[in-house]
Amino acid sequence: MKKMILVVLAGFLFFSTGVFANDLIYTKFFSDKAVSGYDPVAYFTKGQPVKGDAQFKFTYMDADWYFSSRENLEKFKSDPDKYAPRYGGYCAWAVAQGDTAAGNPMNWTIHNGKLYLNYNDDIQKKWLKDIEELIRKADRNWPKVVK
């Protein structure tokens, strides 16, 4: 019985230390990779998702950010707010609804110089139909939805 209690307690402590996406930066379970390891600067410079490389890794806001080149890493370091996805990389549509969901690096939009991620194609279609109003709602909800 004592062993069972210790196992349960150890599990609770393990899962309560940030493994779940309860931080300001969305990362998948058992990973500290922001934007699922994709280069956030590449959305702006290449106009598409580009997988980052572990040799160009930078820790920012307790998450690991990956870049496809040293140049992109340096751009991010000089102005992370410019390149990091809004709402910590959580699905922007979900944040507008007062909730959170995973942001998918394949479902992205740059609007007014800011990067937004969405959960999937269907959600992104909803997002794009009323992006201005949804941004207003998401701005009101963020960051209290992750607390």
Side-chain angles (χ1 to χ4, degrees):
M1 183 66 168
K2 285 184 182 181
K3 187 174 183 177
M4 175 69 124
I5 291 171
L6 288 175
V7 168
V8 170
L9 182 57
F12 175 76
L13 290 173
F14 178 75
F15 285 108
S16 67
T17 58
V19 173
F20 288 114
N22 61 1
D23 295 333
L24 290 177
I25 304 298
Y26 173 76
T27 57
K28 291 183 178 183
F29 296 127
F30 307 108
S31 168
D32 288 332
K33 290 182 180 179
V35 196
S36 299
Y38 281 79
D39 180 343
V41 177
Y43 292 98
F44 295 89
T45 60
K46 299 225 183 249
Q48 64 185 20
V50 175
K51 197 76 167 150
D53 188 316
Q55 69 177 322
F56 305 117
K57 180 174 87 167
F58 177 64
T59 301
Y60 171 70
M61 293 187 70
D62 296 324
D64 294 330
W65 299 75
Y66 291 77
F67 303 90
S68 57
S69 68
R70 172 140 334 268
E71 179 183 359
N72 283 6
L73 167 62
E74 295 304 323
K75 283 181 180 183
F76 186 86
K77 281 181 168 180
S78 71
D79 194 358
D81 289 337
K82 178 178 180 176
Y83 297 106
R86 299 282 293 150
Y87 319 120
Y90 288 90
C91 172
W93 184 86
V95 173
Q97 308 311 306
D99 205 352
T100 60
N104 183 336
M106 298 302 151
N107 295 99
W108 61 280
T109 307
I110 293 178
H111 183 77
N112 290 336
K114 298 291 183 183
L115 175 62
Y116 299 89
L117 302 179
N118 292 118
Y119 179 75
N120 63 23
D121 292 342
D122 291 335
I123 295 298
Q124 189 168 26
K125 287 176 189 169
K126 291 179 183 182
W127 170 254
L128 293 172
K129 282 183 182 177
D130 197 11
I131 195 167
E132 291 291 334
E133 180 59 24
L134 291 168
I135 288 171
R136 279 191 285 281
K137 287 180 179 180
D139 285 349
R140 282 193 302 269
N141 292 336
W142 185 255
K144 64 187 172 212
V145 294
V146 292
K147 294 187 182 194

